[in-house]
Amino acid sequence: MSKKSFIFAIFVGLITTVLSSELGNISFYGRGQASLATHWCSVESIRSSTGVHIYFPEEDETQSIATNNKIRNYPMIVYMPGKGNKNYSYINFSITNQSADLLESSKIKAELRISAPSAKDLIDEGYTCESIGLTCTNLTDYNFSKNEKEWLSKVDLRFYIESDDIRSDPQYDDEEVEYFRLQLSFGKLSTSWKEYVSQISFEEYFEDLPYREYLIRNYGSMPVNVHIGNTFFLKSRVIPLLTNGAPASGYSSYSWLINGADTMGIDTNDVYPDDNEKKIALIYSAVNKNDYAYYVHNSYSDTYGPPEAISFRIRSFFVNNFKLKIDNIKEFNLTTEYSIPRNCKIPNEEEVEILVDVRSLIYADSYHMVNNDITGFLIQAYTDNDHVKDKLVKQNKDEDYINSNTSKVYFYSFNLHNTYPTNLKPYTVVKYDSNLSNDCDISMHDHADWKGESYQWPTVISSVDKYYKLIVNAIDDSELNSENDLPDIFTTANECENGLRLIKRLYKTSTLRDKYSCDKEKLKLTVGKKFREDIISELDAGKVPEQLSIISLTSISRLNCSIFDYINIERFPYLKILQITNSEGLNCEIPDHIGKLKNLQTIDLKHNKLTGTIPESIGNLENLEILDLSYNELKGEMPINLNNLKNLKQFDVSINDELEGEVLEKTLESCNYLNTTICHYANTEYCYNGSDECPESTDLPNFSILNYQISFTLNLTISFILCLYIFN
């Protein structure tokens, strides 16, 4: 069948220059997806307390299409341990998009249910009837189905949003941080699927900091699986895309004809002749052309989630089909998939305002649609010309009228409704089939309206199976309250990063708080010349963690010799690198107790005013690899037991004019004795001459032979005396 197709389309994108409050909804998670929605942190960056397990459904290329389609309705599952010895277990999801702010949302809608872990899993995790508080003696005999009410009473899940800027800022004390953590009013969760809704509002919020954290906590003693389906943070604002027949402020438009590129960029504005209000409209007509389209759009970097509804005001002629396309993600035939099933139609030759329940269309394909990847919307009107002619013939229209019919649309407005309108009176309601008893239904449909559909609720999962991937404790960021909760020493980079977060929380009033960092698994304190506070007082107050592996203090004006009183084995038992340089206040002797820091690998004390001799105790540091005492005022004999440093690779005592003794009897990667009076009695292949007065090693006596001769003579003498004594 031949067609004369008239196509009218509007494509809308959101621009980068608008404020975040002008942008759309934020999806959190969509059924069947293997990660959180766009703009949320990656699965590797989810923070949680110890023992939290995260399960995402995952498709497999080897699986059948039917199996993969089934998985696309699976929920995400989070295993939340019981509170144990702490106040709660928790998981924290954060938004990485810096223009987003959850506090600008008016509400959150989340599909949720909970289930009990299996008895075996609980036992494997170390739980007992007693530790949970259940009336049983053995978990293997406990009937979770029969005793659902009891174990549910041991679950205390709470949901929050919060600002990381407030939580990590030392100017806010714990009470203030708790005040600004906004709890969502979901109430008690059940074992059945339900959509929970909470308003998001702060009566007395006087800060100007964004909220980008979504938290779940379990304050109960009962571990629980939290099943998460489609979840949205919804805004209340209506976003106009087309107003009074013109693109809304901030949007641009262009037009084209497939067979007439010469008309590119032409928009026709006019008033419908019989419109008493004389409203301006954009007019699209298919006269003499097969394809006509109109787009409104902007290029931008941010993308957002779907609205709950769209509305558009039009007056159409000879148009019998409309389509909605959400970006390049999904196309819906509004006539066959939406209007007719609801017994509605879009009348021709009348000015009408059409409301579309986008939410229902989205939930029908959550796997593709529940995300934050939307960049625009497209409304398309098109006509089957033969169908229109047949209809006009049945209406007894004359032949000239039939042949001259022109598909045309007057387009007045187009709006995105982030939250579904509560007042439906402004919108057109016309029955498609007057013989049916049900009226045209433009209300927002809910799960009850989708009864019998495969997408009514997410799949009920009794236990995670091979179709799930497990993320175990992605980042252990336990919000604990004591330094005792830290390990004695960090053994991995992850452990250090997790510990660093707790340290910054515990010492948030310390002036050194932002000077801590991680060098792989090593906790490091780095303080430079811009530091104007008194570091000694911080050490004296015990505000420095003992887990430090690296201390680096450079060019600190207020530093003095009392710093050495605090750098000892009792305070820093795991210290590996000690670097204190360029500090004129260090005009004292190197303390003897430095030789007790048995884990030291580097001592770097160059460019100070250190005096006295080098402590012999340094020769006890078996792990020492680098010793740099250059550019000081050291004097006296260099300890001979420095030769005991079997791992030493780099040695520098240059620019210590009164330092005496012998060079080390070992080959090093590098060494420097410049401007000292140290003599070269050993292998000096890579070393500089310290004094021209020292004899060359070839001119020195062979002390090993001499020692042997002395020893041999002494032994003969003793033997002779013993013989005389015996025979007398």
Side-chain angles (χ1 to χ4, degrees):
M1 180 176 65
S2 64
K3 290 185 179 180
K4 176 183 177 184
S5 298
F6 159 61
I7 298 180
F8 143 69
I10 289 188
F11 177 79
V12 183
L14 308 177
I15 61 174
T16 55
T17 55
V18 295
L19 299 175
S20 60
S21 59
E22 296 178 308
L23 298 174
N25 295 329
I26 299 176
S27 306
F28 169 69
Y29 179 73
R31 303 178 197 172
Q33 296 177 16
S35 63
L36 302 178
T38 309
H39 299 325
W40 290 86
C41 58
S42 64
V43 293
E44 294 81 9
S45 301
I46 297 171
R47 302 201 305 270
S48 68
S49 55
T50 302
V52 170
H53 294 177
I54 310 157
Y55 299 90
F56 285 99
E58 186 174 37
E59 293 184 356
D60 190 331
E61 293 180 359
T62 64
Q63 293 162 191
S64 66
I65 294 176
T67 300
N68 280 337
N69 285 339
K70 177 182 177 182
I71 293 171
R72 291 182 178 189
N73 201 47
Y74 275 23
M76 164 188 170
I77 300 176
V78 179
Y79 167 76
M80 300 288 294
K83 63 179 180 179
N85 296 325
K86 311 299 187 298
N87 291 330
Y88 53 81
S89 63
Y90 87 104
I91 187 167
N92 181 310
F93 308 96
S94 59
I95 295 179
T96 57
N97 186 336
Q98 296 302 298
S99 64
D101 186 353
L102 298 179
L103 203 56
E104 292 177 347
S105 304
S106 62
K107 66 178 68 173
I108 176 177
K109 289 185 177 181
E111 295 177 325
L112 296 167
R113 69 176 287 264
I114 57 176
S115 65
S118 68
K120 180 181 182 303
D121 289 342
L122 290 174
I123 293 170
D124 289 345
E125 293 288 337
Y127 291 95
T128 64
C129 294
E130 182 180 3
S131 66
I132 298 174
L134 302 176
T135 55
C136 58
T137 55
N138 193 327
L139 283 172
T140 56
D141 300 326
Y142 189 76
N143 189 323
F144 285 94
S145 297
K146 183 178 179 180
N147 298 292
E148 182 176 298
K149 185 176 181 180
E150 181 187 32
W151 68 259
L152 279 176
S153 69
K154 308 299 180 182
V155 177
D156 185 5
L157 287 173
R158 305 178 196 178
F159 296 75
Y160 303 86
I161 62 170
E162 75 171 358
S163 170
D164 181 58
D165 294 314
I166 293 177
R167 179 168 58 89
S168 59
D169 193 328
Q171 72 171 317
Y172 297 95
D173 59 30
D174 290 344
E175 185 177 346
E176 290 172 322
V177 170
E178 193 63 34
Y179 172 80
F180 287 116
R181 182 178 291 118
L182 182 60
Q183 184 172 355
L184 304 173
S185 54
F186 283 161
K188 288 283 188 180
L189 270 61
S190 74
T191 56
S192 299
W193 277 111
K194 178 182 175 182
E195 184 170 62
Y196 294 82
V197 181
S198 173
Q199 300 298 316
I200 296 177
S201 62
F202 236 124
E203 291 185 5
E204 296 184 27
Y205 181 66
F206 42 83
E207 305 297 322
D208 188 25
L209 296 170
Y211 276 54
R212 299 195 184 103
E213 311 283 321
Y214 178 41
L215 292 80
I216 306 174
R217 291 179 176 179
N218 183 13
Y219 286 83
S221 58
M222 174 70 190
V224 67
N225 292 320
V226 182
H227 301 240
I228 302 172
N230 294 341
T231 304
F232 299 91
F233 289 88
L234 304 173
K235 297 185 179 180
S236 58
R237 186 176 182 271
V238 177
I239 300 177
L241 305 180
L242 196 70
T243 304
N244 298 323
S249 176
Y251 302 96
S252 59
S253 64
Y254 63 92
S255 305
W256 79 85
L257 295 169
I258 285 182
N259 296 319
D262 55 308
T263 62
M264 182 77 73
I266 295 177
D267 299 330
T268 304
N269 295 86
D270 207 343
V271 175
Y272 177 64
D274 295 333
D275 182 8
N276 295 328
E277 298 178 15
K278 304 300 180 183
K279 297 186 297 296
I280 300 294
L282 288 176
I283 304 174
Y284 314 102
S285 174
V287 177
N288 299 323
K289 297 296 179 183
N290 291 326
D291 191 1
Y292 187 103
Y294 176 79
Y295 290 82
V296 179
H297 78 108
N298 278 93
S299 298
Y300 65 100
S301 58
D302 279 337
T303 58
Y304 284 83
E308 288 198 321
I310 64 165
S311 65
F312 52 93
R313 177 174 287 274
I314 61 171
R315 186 190 296 268
S316 61
F317 296 86
F318 306 112
V319 176
N320 59 2
N321 278 285
F322 286 88
K323 286 184 179 180
L324 167 66
K325 189 174 183 181
I326 299 180
D327 206 20
N328 291 319
I329 303 172
K330 188 74 181 258
E331 180 179 284
F332 303 94
N333 188 317
L334 292 181
T335 303
T336 59
E337 295 181 57
Y338 178 75
S339 296
I340 293 177
R342 292 177 178 236
N343 199 24
C344 298
K345 72 174 181 179
I346 301 175
N348 275 284
E349 302 184 32
E350 297 179 25
E351 185 178 320
V352 293
E353 179 121 15
I354 304 301
L355 181 66
V356 179
D357 178 7
V358 175
R359 169 185 154 95
S360 292
L361 299 174
I362 296 297
Y363 274 61
D365 189 4
S366 302
Y367 178 78
H368 288 106
M369 301 305 302
V370 181
N371 216 309
N372 296 314
D373 294 332
I374 296 174
T375 59
F377 297 83
L378 182 147
I379 293 290
Q380 187 179 61
Y382 64 97
T383 299
D384 179 342
N385 194 47
D386 290 342
H387 176 81
V388 172
K389 284 185 176 182
D390 290 341
K391 189 173 181 179
L392 294 176
V393 168
K394 291 178 181 179
Q395 295 176 4
N396 297 318
K397 300 292 184 180
D398 61 60
E399 187 174 350
D400 291 339
Y401 179 84
I402 294 173
N403 291 330
S404 64
N405 78 82
T406 299
S407 294
K408 182 182 293 186
V409 172
Y410 289 79
F411 202 94
Y412 298 98
S413 65
F414 183 25
N415 296 308
L416 303 183
H417 300 263
N418 288 313
T419 303
Y420 209 84
T422 54
N423 180 16
L424 303 183
K425 291 182 179 179
Y427 304 103
T428 301
V429 178
V430 178
K431 292 179 69 171
Y432 174 76
D433 188 344
S434 58
N435 295 320
L436 296 176
S437 59
N438 58 305
D439 292 328
C440 170
D441 180 10
I442 62 169
S443 66
M444 182 179 69
H445 283 194
D446 215 326
H447 296 79
D449 300 295
W450 305 327
K451 187 175 182 180
E453 300 288 353
S454 60
Y455 57 84
Q456 181 182 16
W457 289 108
T459 305
V460 174
I461 303 295
S462 55
S463 63
V464 292
D465 53 25
K466 63 181 179 180
Y467 303 126
Y468 276 90
K469 66 177 179 180
L470 169 63
I471 308 296
V472 180
N473 199 36
I475 295 181
D476 185 359
D477 187 29
S478 304
E479 293 186 10
L480 307 176
N481 299 308
S482 170
E483 194 171 349
N484 295 329
D485 295 311
L486 291 168
D488 290 339
I489 187 171
F490 304 126
T491 58
T492 66
N494 262 350
E495 270 192 0
C496 186
E497 292 292 343
N498 297 336
L500 180 62
R501 292 185 182 88
L502 177 55
I503 287 167
K504 288 191 173 185
R505 182 170 181 268
L506 293 174
Y507 301 115
K508 65 182 181 180
T509 59
S510 170
T511 57
L512 297 175
R513 177 182 181 273
D514 295 325
K515 306 301 179 183
Y516 297 108
S517 62
C518 285
D519 182 356
K520 297 181 179 178
E521 78 283 358
K522 300 181 184 70
L523 182 64
K524 182 177 182 179
L525 172 64
T526 306
V527 184
K529 63 181 180 180
K530 293 183 179 180
F531 188 76
R532 295 291 183 264
E533 306 298 328
D534 185 3
I535 190 173
I536 304 298
S537 63
E538 295 289 324
L539 288 164
D540 187 54
K543 294 182 178 180
V544 181
E546 67 175 19
Q547 287 80 6
L548 276 176
S549 291
I550 303 173
I551 294 178
S552 178
L553 313 176
T554 303
S555 304
I556 302 177
S557 59
R558 300 183 64 178
L559 198 63
N560 57 55
C561 289
S562 61
I563 185 72
F564 287 123
D565 295 338
Y566 299 95
I567 299 177
N568 53 59
I569 189 66
E570 290 78 18
R571 188 176 289 263
F572 301 115
Y574 311 107
L575 191 63
K576 294 183 178 181
I577 298 175
L578 175 62
Q579 182 183 48
I580 307 177
T581 62
N582 294 87
S583 297
E584 294 187 358
L586 258 62
N587 54 2
C588 55
E589 296 185 3
I590 302 173
D592 188 64
H593 68 251
I594 200 171
K596 295 182 180 180
L597 292 163
K598 59 183 180 180
N599 291 305
L600 275 179
Q601 297 173 355
T602 297
I603 296 177
D604 183 0
L605 300 176
K606 63 177 175 285
H607 288 280
N608 295 306
K609 298 289 184 180
L610 294 171
T611 62
T613 60
I614 299 175
E616 289 189 8
S617 63
I618 291 180
N620 301 326
L621 299 174
E622 296 181 355
N623 297 307
L624 197 65
E625 298 178 2
I626 299 173
L627 179 58
D628 191 343
L629 304 175
S630 61
Y631 290 87
N632 279 290
E633 298 174 7
L634 299 172
K635 59 185 178 181
E637 291 284 331
M638 191 170 70
I640 194 170
N641 72 339
L642 294 184
N643 287 298
N644 297 336
L645 300 174
K646 59 183 180 181
N647 290 309
L648 192 66
K649 299 175 182 177
Q650 299 177 32
F651 182 69
D652 192 343
V653 289
S654 61
I655 322 300
N656 285 282
D657 295 348
E658 298 183 44
L659 195 60
E660 304 173 352
E662 301 175 3
V663 298
L664 299 184
E665 297 178 2
K666 58 196 295 113
T667 300
L668 304 171
E669 292 180 2
S670 67
C671 56
N672 193 344
Y673 302 97
L674 278 175
N675 286 16
T676 67
T677 55
I678 294 174
C679 296
H680 292 230
Y681 289 168
N683 188 338
T684 59
E685 181 178 356
Y686 301 104
C687 299
Y688 298 102
N689 289 327
S691 170
D692 293 335
E693 298 177 2
C694 293
E696 297 294 333
S697 58
T698 54
D699 298 332
L700 296 174
N702 190 325
F703 289 105
S704 61
I705 296 176
L706 180 61
N707 288 340
Y708 171 78
Q709 292 172 340
I710 293 173
S711 176
F712 180 75
T713 303
L714 181 61
N715 287 337
L716 284 177
T717 303
I718 293 173
S719 298
F720 178 73
I721 293 172
L722 285 174
C723 287
L724 289 176
Y725 176 78
I726 292 171
F727 289 106
N728 285 336

